[in-house]
Amino acid sequence: KNEVEQSPQNLTAQEGEFITINCSYSVGISALHWLQQHPGGGIVSLFMLSSGKKKHGRLIATINIQEKHSSLHITASHPRDSAVYICAANSGGSNYKLTFGKGTLLTVNP
Amino acid sequence: DAGVTQSPTHLIKTRGQHVTLRCSPISGHKSVSWYQQVLGQGPQFIFQYYEKEERGRGNFPDRFSARQFPNYSSELNVNALLLGDSALYLCASRPVVTGASTDTQYFGPGTRLTVL
């Protein structure tokens, strides 16, 4: 069993829909990251969370430390949001070891 | 400011060969980490270097090695390449300003290695 599990693996939405991607982890963490990866490989860091909630534009990330669960929400989705979204848990403390989920492939259709 | 840069962008090797991948962190970033991403999977942690010392190692064989130079750039070396080493190799840097574990990592574009 992976230490970091994401769901769903694939998600197709219509433009404008509200999207939720979930991440559960089984290890103790110091921070949880949400990353975006476009075709071709480049990874962009969206959020780093250790508690509560963060918002950036149409993206919202939440984390519940007690339940070891995090969610990434996209409001008013757009085709340019189509990408792979990956959550990663930093369980290494100051050694900063990231354990990644397998990613969620999001496709937003116009 | 330039982001994390990696070279080469693409590389084709044959089984048994050796490969060296290079990474230049963002200016001022002292920590570099390497990850392997096999097609269809999430990245896997290989190494972390900070101040030229190895600070973490993932579950990879001794064929994988790395080093960090005084200018904080880094090389990842893989010996005796296997078909299964074909992957996207990602480098990430972070500033480690506070020494805590809550710095954001910045990823490079990756080097796509194909082993034939």
PDB file of all heavy atoms in Angstrom, chain B residues 11 13-21 34-36 46-47 60-67 75-87 89 113 115:
ATOM      1  N   LEU B  11      17.854  12.200 -23.547  1.00  0.00           N
ATOM      2  CA  LEU B  11      19.058  11.397 -23.649  1.00  0.00           C
ATOM      3  C   LEU B  11      18.668   9.971 -23.991  1.00  0.00           C
ATOM      4  O   LEU B  11      17.736   9.422 -23.392  1.00  0.00           O
ATOM      5  CB  LEU B  11      19.790  11.426 -22.301  1.00  0.00           C
ATOM      6  CG  LEU B  11      21.255  11.043 -22.200  1.00  0.00           C
ATOM      7  CD1 LEU B  11      22.103  11.842 -23.161  1.00  0.00           C
ATOM      8  CD2 LEU B  11      21.722  11.292 -20.768  1.00  0.00           C
ATOM      9  N   LYS B  13      20.374   6.156 -24.292  1.00  0.00           N
ATOM     10  CA  LYS B  13      21.529   5.332 -23.977  1.00  0.00           C
ATOM     11  C   LYS B  13      21.175   3.871 -24.229  1.00  0.00           C
ATOM     12  O   LYS B  13      20.004   3.503 -24.383  1.00  0.00           O
ATOM     13  CB  LYS B  13      21.954   5.520 -22.519  1.00  0.00           C
ATOM     14  CG  LYS B  13      22.508   6.892 -22.190  1.00  0.00           C
ATOM     15  CD  LYS B  13      23.916   7.036 -22.696  1.00  0.00           C
ATOM     16  CE  LYS B  13      24.585   8.284 -22.198  1.00  0.00           C
ATOM     17  NZ  LYS B  13      25.994   8.399 -22.648  1.00  0.00           N
ATOM     18  N   THR B  14      22.185   3.026 -24.228  1.00  0.00           N
ATOM     19  CA  THR B  14      21.951   1.588 -24.338  1.00  0.00           C
ATOM     20  C   THR B  14      22.290   0.913 -23.013  1.00  0.00           C
ATOM     21  O   THR B  14      23.014   1.476 -22.173  1.00  0.00           O
ATOM     22  CB  THR B  14      22.772   0.967 -25.470  1.00  0.00           C
ATOM     23  OG1 THR B  14      24.153   1.258 -25.240  1.00  0.00           O
ATOM     24  CG2 THR B  14      22.358   1.513 -26.817  1.00  0.00           C
ATOM     25  N   ARG B  15      21.741  -0.270 -22.837  1.00  0.00           N
ATOM     26  CA  ARG B  15      21.961  -1.016 -21.605  1.00  0.00           C
ATOM     27  C   ARG B  15      23.448  -1.160 -21.313  1.00  0.00           C
ATOM     28  O   ARG B  15      24.259  -1.402 -22.210  1.00  0.00           O
ATOM     29  CB  ARG B  15      21.337  -2.400 -21.706  1.00  0.00           C
ATOM     30  CG  ARG B  15      19.853  -2.415 -21.478  1.00  0.00           C
ATOM     31  CD  ARG B  15      19.286  -3.808 -21.626  1.00  0.00           C
ATOM     32  NE  ARG B  15      19.471  -4.321 -22.988  1.00  0.00           N
ATOM     33  CZ  ARG B  15      19.174  -5.550 -23.364  1.00  0.00           C
ATOM     34  NH1 ARG B  15      18.715  -6.422 -22.479  1.00  0.00           N
ATOM     35  NH2 ARG B  15      19.351  -5.941 -24.605  1.00  0.00           N
ATOM     36  N   GLY B  16      23.805  -1.016 -20.042  1.00  0.00           N
ATOM     37  CA  GLY B  16      25.191  -1.170 -19.626  1.00  0.00           C
ATOM     38  C   GLY B  16      25.999   0.113 -19.641  1.00  0.00           C
ATOM     39  O   GLY B  16      27.070   0.176 -19.025  1.00  0.00           O
ATOM     40  N   GLN B  17      25.473   1.128 -20.351  1.00  0.00           N
ATOM     41  CA  GLN B  17      26.214   2.390 -20.393  1.00  0.00           C
ATOM     42  C   GLN B  17      26.048   3.166 -19.089  1.00  0.00           C
ATOM     43  O   GLN B  17      25.278   2.805 -18.204  1.00  0.00           O
ATOM     44  CB  GLN B  17      25.737   3.244 -21.573  1.00  0.00           C
ATOM     45  CG  GLN B  17      26.237   2.761 -22.918  1.00  0.00           C
ATOM     46  CD  GLN B  17      25.923   3.750 -24.027  1.00  0.00           C
ATOM     47  OE1 GLN B  17      24.787   4.222 -24.151  1.00  0.00           O
ATOM     48  NE2 GLN B  17      26.917   4.060 -24.855  1.00  0.00           N
ATOM     49  N   HIS B  18      26.797   4.249 -19.026  1.00  0.00           N
ATOM     50  CA  HIS B  18      26.770   5.144 -17.873  1.00  0.00           C
ATOM     51  C   HIS B  18      26.177   6.487 -18.316  1.00  0.00           C
ATOM     52  O   HIS B  18      26.342   6.901 -19.463  1.00  0.00           O
ATOM     53  CB  HIS B  18      28.197   5.327 -17.355  1.00  0.00           C
ATOM     54  CG  HIS B  18      28.380   6.510 -16.460  1.00  0.00           C
ATOM     55  ND1 HIS B  18      28.704   7.764 -16.932  1.00  0.00           N
ATOM     56  CD2 HIS B  18      28.273   6.631 -15.121  1.00  0.00           C
ATOM     57  CE1 HIS B  18      28.792   8.608 -15.919  1.00  0.00           C
ATOM     58  NE2 HIS B  18      28.542   7.939 -14.818  1.00  0.00           N
ATOM     59  N   VAL B  19      25.487   7.183 -17.407  1.00  0.00           N
ATOM     60  CA  VAL B  19      24.919   8.475 -17.752  1.00  0.00           C
ATOM     61  C   VAL B  19      25.155   9.467 -16.611  1.00  0.00           C
ATOM     62  O   VAL B  19      25.184   9.077 -15.433  1.00  0.00           O
ATOM     63  CB  VAL B  19      23.406   8.352 -18.058  1.00  0.00           C
ATOM     64  CG1 VAL B  19      22.604   8.003 -16.799  1.00  0.00           C
ATOM     65  CG2 VAL B  19      22.865   9.619 -18.683  1.00  0.00           C
ATOM     66  N   THR B  20      25.362  10.718 -16.978  1.00  0.00           N
ATOM     67  CA  THR B  20      25.480  11.807 -16.002  1.00  0.00           C
ATOM     68  C   THR B  20      24.459  12.875 -16.337  1.00  0.00           C
ATOM     69  O   THR B  20      24.425  13.382 -17.461  1.00  0.00           O
ATOM     70  CB  THR B  20      26.887  12.434 -16.017  1.00  0.00           C
ATOM     71  OG1 THR B  20      27.850  11.437 -15.645  1.00  0.00           O
ATOM     72  CG2 THR B  20      26.963  13.595 -15.038  1.00  0.00           C
ATOM     73  N   LEU B  21      23.631  13.199 -15.371  1.00  0.00           N
ATOM     74  CA  LEU B  21      22.619  14.238 -15.516  1.00  0.00           C
ATOM     75  C   LEU B  21      23.010  15.414 -14.632  1.00  0.00           C
ATOM     76  O   LEU B  21      23.531  15.225 -13.533  1.00  0.00           O
ATOM     77  CB  LEU B  21      21.240  13.709 -15.102  1.00  0.00           C
ATOM     78  CG  LEU B  21      20.812  12.379 -15.733  1.00  0.00           C
ATOM     79  CD1 LEU B  21      19.428  11.997 -15.227  1.00  0.00           C
ATOM     80  CD2 LEU B  21      20.840  12.453 -17.233  1.00  0.00           C
ATOM     81  N   TRP B  34      16.924  14.908  -6.053  1.00  0.00           N
ATOM     82  CA  TRP B  34      16.719  14.202  -7.328  1.00  0.00           C
ATOM     83  C   TRP B  34      15.566  13.215  -7.182  1.00  0.00           C
ATOM     84  O   TRP B  34      15.430  12.544  -6.147  1.00  0.00           O
ATOM     85  CB  TRP B  34      17.983  13.430  -7.721  1.00  0.00           C
ATOM     86  CG  TRP B  34      19.102  14.287  -8.209  1.00  0.00           C
ATOM     87  CD1 TRP B  34      20.154  14.771  -7.485  1.00  0.00           C
ATOM     88  CD2 TRP B  34      19.294  14.762  -9.544  1.00  0.00           C
ATOM     89  NE1 TRP B  34      20.989  15.518  -8.276  1.00  0.00           N
ATOM     90  CE2 TRP B  34      20.491  15.521  -9.557  1.00  0.00           C
ATOM     91  CE3 TRP B  34      18.585  14.615 -10.746  1.00  0.00           C
ATOM     92  CZ2 TRP B  34      20.991  16.132 -10.713  1.00  0.00           C
ATOM     93  CZ3 TRP B  34      19.076  15.219 -11.890  1.00  0.00           C
ATOM     94  CH2 TRP B  34      20.263  15.968 -11.864  1.00  0.00           C
ATOM     95  N   TYR B  35      14.757  13.121  -8.239  1.00  0.00           N
ATOM     96  CA  TYR B  35      13.610  12.218  -8.262  1.00  0.00           C
ATOM     97  C   TYR B  35      13.575  11.490  -9.604  1.00  0.00           C
ATOM     98  O   TYR B  35      13.960  12.041 -10.634  1.00  0.00           O
ATOM     99  CB  TYR B  35      12.295  12.989  -8.092  1.00  0.00           C
ATOM    100  CG  TYR B  35      12.197  13.774  -6.809  1.00  0.00           C
ATOM    101  CD1 TYR B  35      12.637  15.086  -6.742  1.00  0.00           C
ATOM    102  CD2 TYR B  35      11.672  13.182  -5.659  1.00  0.00           C
ATOM    103  CE1 TYR B  35      12.563  15.805  -5.558  1.00  0.00           C
ATOM    104  CE2 TYR B  35      11.586  13.897  -4.477  1.00  0.00           C
ATOM    105  CZ  TYR B  35      12.037  15.204  -4.437  1.00  0.00           C
ATOM    106  OH  TYR B  35      11.959  15.906  -3.270  1.00  0.00           O
ATOM    107  N   GLN B  36      13.068  10.255  -9.564  1.00  0.00           N
ATOM    108  CA  GLN B  36      12.846   9.476 -10.782  1.00  0.00           C
ATOM    109  C   GLN B  36      11.349   9.309 -10.982  1.00  0.00           C
ATOM    110  O   GLN B  36      10.633   8.918 -10.059  1.00  0.00           O
ATOM    111  CB  GLN B  36      13.495   8.096 -10.660  1.00  0.00           C
ATOM    112  CG  GLN B  36      13.311   7.213 -11.890  1.00  0.00           C
ATOM    113  CD  GLN B  36      13.594   5.746 -11.605  1.00  0.00           C
ATOM    114  OE1 GLN B  36      12.904   5.111 -10.809  1.00  0.00           O
ATOM    115  NE2 GLN B  36      14.620   5.198 -12.253  1.00  0.00           N
ATOM    116  N   ILE B  46      15.170  10.033  -4.895  1.00  0.00           N
ATOM    117  CA  ILE B  46      16.451   9.331  -5.051  1.00  0.00           C
ATOM    118  C   ILE B  46      17.471   9.843  -4.034  1.00  0.00           C
ATOM    119  O   ILE B  46      18.031   9.085  -3.251  1.00  0.00           O
ATOM    120  CB  ILE B  46      17.036   9.498  -6.472  1.00  0.00           C
ATOM    121  CG1 ILE B  46      16.004   9.182  -7.551  1.00  0.00           C
ATOM    122  CG2 ILE B  46      18.251   8.586  -6.637  1.00  0.00           C
ATOM    123  CD1 ILE B  46      16.516   9.435  -8.965  1.00  0.00           C
ATOM    124  N   PHE B  47      17.759  11.136  -4.083  1.00  0.00           N
ATOM    125  CA  PHE B  47      18.774  11.743  -3.208  1.00  0.00           C
ATOM    126  C   PHE B  47      18.350  13.150  -2.814  1.00  0.00           C
ATOM    127  O   PHE B  47      17.640  13.826  -3.560  1.00  0.00           O
ATOM    128  CB  PHE B  47      20.124  11.915  -3.934  1.00  0.00           C
ATOM    129  CG  PHE B  47      20.889  10.672  -4.173  1.00  0.00           C
ATOM    130  CD1 PHE B  47      21.034  10.195  -5.467  1.00  0.00           C
ATOM    131  CD2 PHE B  47      21.491   9.979  -3.137  1.00  0.00           C
ATOM    132  CE1 PHE B  47      21.749   9.038  -5.717  1.00  0.00           C
ATOM    133  CE2 PHE B  47      22.217   8.830  -3.380  1.00  0.00           C
ATOM    134  CZ  PHE B  47      22.345   8.366  -4.677  1.00  0.00           C
ATOM    135  N   PHE B  60      17.124   3.145  -3.844  1.00  0.00           N
ATOM    136  CA  PHE B  60      17.701   2.931  -5.171  1.00  0.00           C
ATOM    137  C   PHE B  60      19.032   2.195  -5.024  1.00  0.00           C
ATOM    138  O   PHE B  60      19.736   2.366  -4.026  1.00  0.00           O
ATOM    139  CB  PHE B  60      17.916   4.276  -5.884  1.00  0.00           C
ATOM    140  CG  PHE B  60      16.652   4.814  -6.497  1.00  0.00           C
ATOM    141  CD1 PHE B  60      15.733   5.504  -5.725  1.00  0.00           C
ATOM    142  CD2 PHE B  60      16.384   4.629  -7.837  1.00  0.00           C
ATOM    143  CE1 PHE B  60      14.554   5.979  -6.282  1.00  0.00           C
ATOM    144  CE2 PHE B  60      15.218   5.113  -8.416  1.00  0.00           C
ATOM    145  CZ  PHE B  60      14.311   5.780  -7.623  1.00  0.00           C
ATOM    146  N   PRO B  61      19.388   1.379  -6.028  1.00  0.00           N
ATOM    147  CA  PRO B  61      20.641   0.613  -5.918  1.00  0.00           C
ATOM    148  C   PRO B  61      21.869   1.508  -5.977  1.00  0.00           C
ATOM    149  O   PRO B  61      21.795   2.689  -6.337  1.00  0.00           O
ATOM    150  CB  PRO B  61      20.573  -0.322  -7.139  1.00  0.00           C
ATOM    151  CG  PRO B  61      19.651   0.348  -8.099  1.00  0.00           C
ATOM    152  CD  PRO B  61      18.654   1.086  -7.267  1.00  0.00           C
ATOM    153  N   ASP B  62      23.014   0.901  -5.631  1.00  0.00           N
ATOM    154  CA  ASP B  62      24.274   1.646  -5.598  1.00  0.00           C
ATOM    155  C   ASP B  62      24.723   2.111  -6.971  1.00  0.00           C
ATOM    156  O   ASP B  62      25.678   2.896  -7.070  1.00  0.00           O
ATOM    157  CB  ASP B  62      25.366   0.780  -4.968  1.00  0.00           C
ATOM    158  CG  ASP B  62      25.123   0.541  -3.496  1.00  0.00           C
ATOM    159  OD1 ASP B  62      24.316   1.290  -2.912  1.00  0.00           O
ATOM    160  OD2 ASP B  62      25.730  -0.382  -2.934  1.00  0.00           O
ATOM    161  N   ARG B  63      24.049   1.646  -8.020  1.00  0.00           N
ATOM    162  CA  ARG B  63      24.367   2.141  -9.368  1.00  0.00           C
ATOM    163  C   ARG B  63      24.047   3.631  -9.493  1.00  0.00           C
ATOM    164  O   ARG B  63      24.539   4.308 -10.382  1.00  0.00           O
ATOM    165  CB  ARG B  63      23.552   1.390 -10.432  1.00  0.00           C
ATOM    166  CG  ARG B  63      23.806  -0.099 -10.499  1.00  0.00           C
ATOM    167  CD  ARG B  63      23.042  -0.721 -11.649  1.00  0.00           C
ATOM    168  NE  ARG B  63      21.599  -0.631 -11.506  1.00  0.00           N
ATOM    169  CZ  ARG B  63      20.819   0.162 -12.235  1.00  0.00           C
ATOM    170  NH1 ARG B  63      21.352   0.953 -13.167  1.00  0.00           N
ATOM    171  NH2 ARG B  63      19.511   0.173 -12.048  1.00  0.00           N
ATOM    172  N   PHE B  64      23.211   4.097  -8.604  1.00  0.00           N
ATOM    173  CA  PHE B  64      22.840   5.512  -8.589  1.00  0.00           C
ATOM    174  C   PHE B  64      23.735   6.244  -7.584  1.00  0.00           C
ATOM    175  O   PHE B  64      23.871   5.814  -6.430  1.00  0.00           O
ATOM    176  CB  PHE B  64      21.382   5.689  -8.181  1.00  0.00           C
ATOM    177  CG  PHE B  64      20.399   5.258  -9.228  1.00  0.00           C
ATOM    178  CD1 PHE B  64      20.134   3.909  -9.456  1.00  0.00           C
ATOM    179  CD2 PHE B  64      19.720   6.199  -9.998  1.00  0.00           C
ATOM    180  CE1 PHE B  64      19.234   3.510 -10.427  1.00  0.00           C
ATOM    181  CE2 PHE B  64      18.809   5.804 -10.964  1.00  0.00           C
ATOM    182  CZ  PHE B  64      18.568   4.466 -11.182  1.00  0.00           C
ATOM    183  N   SER B  65      24.332   7.322  -8.021  1.00  0.00           N
ATOM    184  CA  SER B  65      25.143   8.143  -7.126  1.00  0.00           C
ATOM    185  C   SER B  65      24.970   9.603  -7.524  1.00  0.00           C
ATOM    186  O   SER B  65      24.513   9.903  -8.637  1.00  0.00           O
ATOM    187  CB  SER B  65      26.617   7.744  -7.166  1.00  0.00           C
ATOM    188  OG  SER B  65      27.147   7.979  -8.459  1.00  0.00           O
ATOM    189  N   ALA B  66      25.330  10.476  -6.641  1.00  0.00           N
ATOM    190  CA  ALA B  66      25.194  11.905  -6.930  1.00  0.00           C
ATOM    191  C   ALA B  66      26.243  12.677  -6.155  1.00  0.00           C
ATOM    192  O   ALA B  66      26.894  12.144  -5.248  1.00  0.00           O
ATOM    193  CB  ALA B  66      23.786  12.394  -6.582  1.00  0.00           C
ATOM    194  N   ARG B  67      26.395  13.913  -6.528  1.00  0.00           N
ATOM    195  CA  ARG B  67      27.252  14.799  -5.759  1.00  0.00           C
ATOM    196  C   ARG B  67      26.785  16.234  -5.960  1.00  0.00           C
ATOM    197  O   ARG B  67      26.098  16.547  -6.938  1.00  0.00           O
ATOM    198  CB  ARG B  67      28.712  14.650  -6.159  1.00  0.00           C
ATOM    199  CG  ARG B  67      29.016  14.838  -7.622  1.00  0.00           C
ATOM    200  CD  ARG B  67      30.500  14.649  -7.879  1.00  0.00           C
ATOM    201  NE  ARG B  67      30.818  14.704  -9.306  1.00  0.00           N
ATOM    202  CZ  ARG B  67      32.058  14.819  -9.768  1.00  0.00           C
ATOM    203  NH1 ARG B  67      33.083  14.890  -8.940  1.00  0.00           N
ATOM    204  NH2 ARG B  67      32.286  14.847 -11.063  1.00  0.00           N
ATOM    205  N   GLU B  75      25.164  16.728  -9.824  1.00  0.00           N
ATOM    206  CA  GLU B  75      25.163  15.695 -10.858  1.00  0.00           C
ATOM    207  C   GLU B  75      24.553  14.423 -10.298  1.00  0.00           C
ATOM    208  O   GLU B  75      24.802  14.078  -9.126  1.00  0.00           O
ATOM    209  CB  GLU B  75      26.598  15.362 -11.315  1.00  0.00           C
ATOM    210  CG  GLU B  75      27.240  16.359 -12.225  1.00  0.00           C
ATOM    211  CD  GLU B  75      28.628  15.895 -12.654  1.00  0.00           C
ATOM    212  OE1 GLU B  75      29.118  14.858 -12.143  1.00  0.00           O
ATOM    213  OE2 GLU B  75      29.226  16.583 -13.502  1.00  0.00           O
ATOM    214  N   LEU B  76      23.773  13.750 -11.142  1.00  0.00           N
ATOM    215  CA  LEU B  76      23.275  12.419 -10.830  1.00  0.00           C
ATOM    216  C   LEU B  76      23.933  11.462 -11.814  1.00  0.00           C
ATOM    217  O   LEU B  76      23.877  11.688 -13.023  1.00  0.00           O
ATOM    218  CB  LEU B  76      21.758  12.351 -10.968  1.00  0.00           C
ATOM    219  CG  LEU B  76      21.113  10.973 -10.777  1.00  0.00           C
ATOM    220  CD1 LEU B  76      21.218  10.522  -9.320  1.00  0.00           C
ATOM    221  CD2 LEU B  76      19.652  10.984 -11.228  1.00  0.00           C
ATOM    222  N   ASN B  77      24.561  10.432 -11.292  1.00  0.00           N
ATOM    223  CA  ASN B  77      25.227   9.434 -12.121  1.00  0.00           C
ATOM    224  C   ASN B  77      24.518   8.092 -11.980  1.00  0.00           C
ATOM    225  O   ASN B  77      24.156   7.687 -10.871  1.00  0.00           O
ATOM    226  CB  ASN B  77      26.688   9.276 -11.696  1.00  0.00           C
ATOM    227  CG  ASN B  77      27.483  10.538 -11.937  1.00  0.00           C
ATOM    228  OD1 ASN B  77      27.828  10.857 -13.066  1.00  0.00           O
ATOM    229  ND2 ASN B  77      27.750  11.279 -10.868  1.00  0.00           N
ATOM    230  N   VAL B  78      24.344   7.438 -13.103  1.00  0.00           N
ATOM    231  CA  VAL B  78      23.768   6.093 -13.088  1.00  0.00           C
ATOM    232  C   VAL B  78      24.679   5.195 -13.909  1.00  0.00           C
ATOM    233  O   VAL B  78      24.951   5.473 -15.087  1.00  0.00           O
ATOM    234  CB  VAL B  78      22.343   6.055 -13.658  1.00  0.00           C
ATOM    235  CG1 VAL B  78      21.734   4.661 -13.463  1.00  0.00           C
ATOM    236  CG2 VAL B  78      21.463   7.105 -13.013  1.00  0.00           C
ATOM    237  N   ASN B  79      25.180   4.143 -13.282  1.00  0.00           N
ATOM    238  CA  ASN B  79      26.056   3.184 -13.955  1.00  0.00           C
ATOM    239  C   ASN B  79      25.276   1.958 -14.406  1.00  0.00           C
ATOM    240  O   ASN B  79      24.189   1.664 -13.896  1.00  0.00           O
ATOM    241  CB  ASN B  79      27.160   2.735 -12.994  1.00  0.00           C
ATOM    242  CG  ASN B  79      28.130   3.840 -12.669  1.00  0.00           C
ATOM    243  OD1 ASN B  79      28.457   4.663 -13.524  1.00  0.00           O
ATOM    244  ND2 ASN B  79      28.581   3.891 -11.424  1.00  0.00           N
ATOM    245  N   ALA B  80      25.865   1.222 -15.348  1.00  0.00           N
ATOM    246  CA  ALA B  80      25.303  -0.062 -15.788  1.00  0.00           C
ATOM    247  C   ALA B  80      23.806   0.042 -16.030  1.00  0.00           C
ATOM    248  O   ALA B  80      22.997  -0.662 -15.414  1.00  0.00           O
ATOM    249  CB  ALA B  80      25.607  -1.141 -14.742  1.00  0.00           C
ATOM    250  N   LEU B  81      23.439   0.937 -16.932  1.00  0.00           N
ATOM    251  CA  LEU B  81      22.029   1.239 -17.173  1.00  0.00           C
ATOM    252  C   LEU B  81      21.224  -0.005 -17.530  1.00  0.00           C
ATOM    253  O   LEU B  81      21.670  -0.889 -18.271  1.00  0.00           O
ATOM    254  CB  LEU B  81      21.907   2.261 -18.301  1.00  0.00           C
ATOM    255  CG  LEU B  81      22.260   3.699 -17.928  1.00  0.00           C
ATOM    256  CD1 LEU B  81      22.413   4.547 -19.174  1.00  0.00           C
ATOM    257  CD2 LEU B  81      21.213   4.288 -16.993  1.00  0.00           C
ATOM    258  N   LEU B  82      20.007  -0.041 -16.974  1.00  0.00           N
ATOM    259  CA  LEU B  82      19.030  -1.076 -17.274  1.00  0.00           C
ATOM    260  C   LEU B  82      17.844  -0.459 -18.002  1.00  0.00           C
ATOM    261  O   LEU B  82      17.612   0.750 -17.911  1.00  0.00           O
ATOM    262  CB  LEU B  82      18.545  -1.732 -15.977  1.00  0.00           C
ATOM    263  CG  LEU B  82      19.613  -2.353 -15.069  1.00  0.00           C
ATOM    264  CD1 LEU B  82      18.977  -2.833 -13.770  1.00  0.00           C
ATOM    265  CD2 LEU B  82      20.305  -3.495 -15.784  1.00  0.00           C
ATOM    266  N   LEU B  83      17.089  -1.319 -18.699  1.00  0.00           N
ATOM    267  CA  LEU B  83      15.911  -0.808 -19.401  1.00  0.00           C
ATOM    268  C   LEU B  83      14.971  -0.084 -18.434  1.00  0.00           C
ATOM    269  O   LEU B  83      14.359   0.925 -18.777  1.00  0.00           O
ATOM    270  CB  LEU B  83      15.160  -1.952 -20.084  1.00  0.00           C
ATOM    271  CG  LEU B  83      15.902  -2.683 -21.209  1.00  0.00           C
ATOM    272  CD1 LEU B  83      15.036  -3.816 -21.762  1.00  0.00           C
ATOM    273  CD2 LEU B  83      16.303  -1.730 -22.319  1.00  0.00           C
ATOM    274  N   GLY B  84      14.892  -0.603 -17.218  1.00  0.00           N
ATOM    275  CA  GLY B  84      13.990  -0.031 -16.220  1.00  0.00           C
ATOM    276  C   GLY B  84      14.411   1.333 -15.701  1.00  0.00           C
ATOM    277  O   GLY B  84      13.660   1.955 -14.947  1.00  0.00           O
ATOM    278  N   ASP B  85      15.600   1.774 -16.075  1.00  0.00           N
ATOM    279  CA  ASP B  85      16.036   3.111 -15.670  1.00  0.00           C
ATOM    280  C   ASP B  85      15.446   4.187 -16.569  1.00  0.00           C
ATOM    281  O   ASP B  85      15.617   5.383 -16.299  1.00  0.00           O
ATOM    282  CB  ASP B  85      17.568   3.205 -15.701  1.00  0.00           C
ATOM    283  CG  ASP B  85      18.240   2.284 -14.700  1.00  0.00           C
ATOM    284  OD1 ASP B  85      17.608   2.002 -13.649  1.00  0.00           O
ATOM    285  OD2 ASP B  85      19.367   1.838 -14.968  1.00  0.00           O
ATOM    286  N   SER B  86      14.775   3.788 -17.630  1.00  0.00           N
ATOM    287  CA  SER B  86      14.122   4.760 -18.514  1.00  0.00           C
ATOM    288  C   SER B  86      13.060   5.513 -17.721  1.00  0.00           C
ATOM    289  O   SER B  86      12.149   4.911 -17.148  1.00  0.00           O
ATOM    290  CB  SER B  86      13.476   4.052 -19.702  1.00  0.00           C
ATOM    291  OG  SER B  86      14.435   3.432 -20.518  1.00  0.00           O
ATOM    292  N   ALA B  87      13.195   6.815 -17.667  1.00  0.00           N
ATOM    293  CA  ALA B  87      12.296   7.616 -16.833  1.00  0.00           C
ATOM    294  C   ALA B  87      12.595   9.089 -17.053  1.00  0.00           C
ATOM    295  O   ALA B  87      13.554   9.454 -17.739  1.00  0.00           O
ATOM    296  CB  ALA B  87      12.499   7.282 -15.355  1.00  0.00           C
ATOM    297  N   TYR B  89      13.904  12.203 -15.074  1.00  0.00           N
ATOM    298  CA  TYR B  89      14.670  12.486 -13.865  1.00  0.00           C
ATOM    299  C   TYR B  89      14.511  13.977 -13.533  1.00  0.00           C
ATOM    300  O   TYR B  89      14.883  14.842 -14.326  1.00  0.00           O
ATOM    301  CB  TYR B  89      16.134  12.087 -14.037  1.00  0.00           C
ATOM    302  CG  TYR B  89      16.285  10.588 -14.042  1.00  0.00           C
ATOM    303  CD1 TYR B  89      16.109   9.869 -15.224  1.00  0.00           C
ATOM    304  CD2 TYR B  89      16.534   9.886 -12.874  1.00  0.00           C
ATOM    305  CE1 TYR B  89      16.193   8.476 -15.241  1.00  0.00           C
ATOM    306  CE2 TYR B  89      16.628   8.498 -12.871  1.00  0.00           C
ATOM    307  CZ  TYR B  89      16.449   7.810 -14.056  1.00  0.00           C
ATOM    308  OH  TYR B  89      16.529   6.437 -14.060  1.00  0.00           O
ATOM    309  N   LEU B 113      15.290  10.240 -19.904  1.00  0.00           N
ATOM    310  CA  LEU B 113      16.290   9.229 -20.250  1.00  0.00           C
ATOM    311  C   LEU B 113      15.587   8.013 -20.832  1.00  0.00           C
ATOM    312  O   LEU B 113      14.659   7.473 -20.230  1.00  0.00           O
ATOM    313  CB  LEU B 113      17.084   8.814 -19.004  1.00  0.00           C
ATOM    314  CG  LEU B 113      18.034   7.626 -19.170  1.00  0.00           C
ATOM    315  CD1 LEU B 113      19.157   7.956 -20.151  1.00  0.00           C
ATOM    316  CD2 LEU B 113      18.604   7.194 -17.828  1.00  0.00           C
ATOM    317  N   VAL B 115      16.520   4.214 -22.188  1.00  0.00           N
ATOM    318  CA  VAL B 115      17.541   3.173 -22.260  1.00  0.00           C
ATOM    319  C   VAL B 115      17.058   2.088 -23.223  1.00  0.00           C
ATOM    320  O   VAL B 115      15.971   1.521 -23.029  1.00  0.00           O
ATOM    321  CB  VAL B 115      17.834   2.574 -20.875  1.00  0.00           C
ATOM    322  CG1 VAL B 115      18.941   1.524 -20.976  1.00  0.00           C
ATOM    323  CG2 VAL B 115      18.237   3.670 -19.896  1.00  0.00           C
TER     324      VAL B 115
END
